[in-house]
Amino acid sequence: MSETKELTYSDVAEHSSKKDLYLVVHDKVYNATEFVDEHPGGEEVLMDVGGQDATEAFEDVGHSDEAREILDKLLVGDLKRVAGDPAPKSEPPKPTAGTTTQDSTGFGIGIYALVLLGGALAFGAYKYLQLQSTEQK
């Protein structure tokens, strides 16, 4: 493809059937028609976003590098935005070497809180048992 084709949302919306399925991911238009039956998540997943912007659905699943390579092979062109189109979906941050795209801060704080709570409960149980043993003497 030497020249990039430009399609509008209305052009994409015309391709929303199983036998003719386009979708938009990060302002790129893809022809998913040949991939509908092969999609690991089932055809319904693609049919739900056919003829629409599928960026959020695509990124929420966390597709593999292999899935992104397959997507590249389905490229038809770029989305040409016109007045009245939905707002673009934001680009996800590009991962760099040694970083992940997932936020692990919440998980780390949760583990810390769990360990702290477990320690407090263990200390309380120890003191309770110690008190019980001194009362029995």
Side-chain angles (χ1 to χ4, degrees):
M1 180 189 297
S2 59
E3 191 175 314
T4 303
K5 191 173 179 181
E6 285 189 331
L7 295 105
T8 63
Y9 266 113
S10 61
D11 295 331
V12 173
E14 294 173 6
H15 303 272
S16 61
S17 71
K18 182 177 178 181
K19 301 217 183 283
D20 183 23
L21 188 69
Y22 281 20
L23 46 91
V24 176
V25 177
H26 296 299
D27 288 348
K28 300 284 185 190
V29 180
Y30 300 93
N31 182 346
T33 307
E34 299 297 319
F35 191 66
V36 171
D37 291 327
E38 299 173 30
H39 188 262
E43 69 181 51
E44 299 82 19
V45 175
L46 292 179
M47 296 301 297
D48 285 345
V49 293
Q52 303 173 44
D53 190 338
T55 303
E56 189 173 341
F58 184 82
E59 293 300 341
D60 283 351
V61 172
H63 283 90
S64 66
D65 290 338
E66 181 181 0
R68 292 174 190 278
E69 289 172 14
I70 292 169
L71 189 65
D72 288 341
K73 294 175 187 173
L74 304 176
L75 182 65
V76 173
D78 293 323
L79 181 67
K80 180 181 179 183
R81 293 192 172 277
V82 294
D85 283 350
K89 306 293 182 182
S90 62
E91 284 281 329
K94 302 285 185 212
T96 57
T99 63
T100 63
T101 58
Q102 295 179 347
D103 183 16
S104 59
T105 305
F107 185 68
I109 291 172
I111 293 291
Y112 178 74
L114 187 61
V115 168
L116 188 61
L117 182 62
L121 287 172
F123 179 74
Y126 170 77
K127 285 297 202 178
Y128 176 77
L129 291 173
Q130 194 176 36
L131 181 64
Q132 291 296 322
S133 68
T134 57
E135 288 179 2
Q136 290 179 358
K137 290 183 183 179

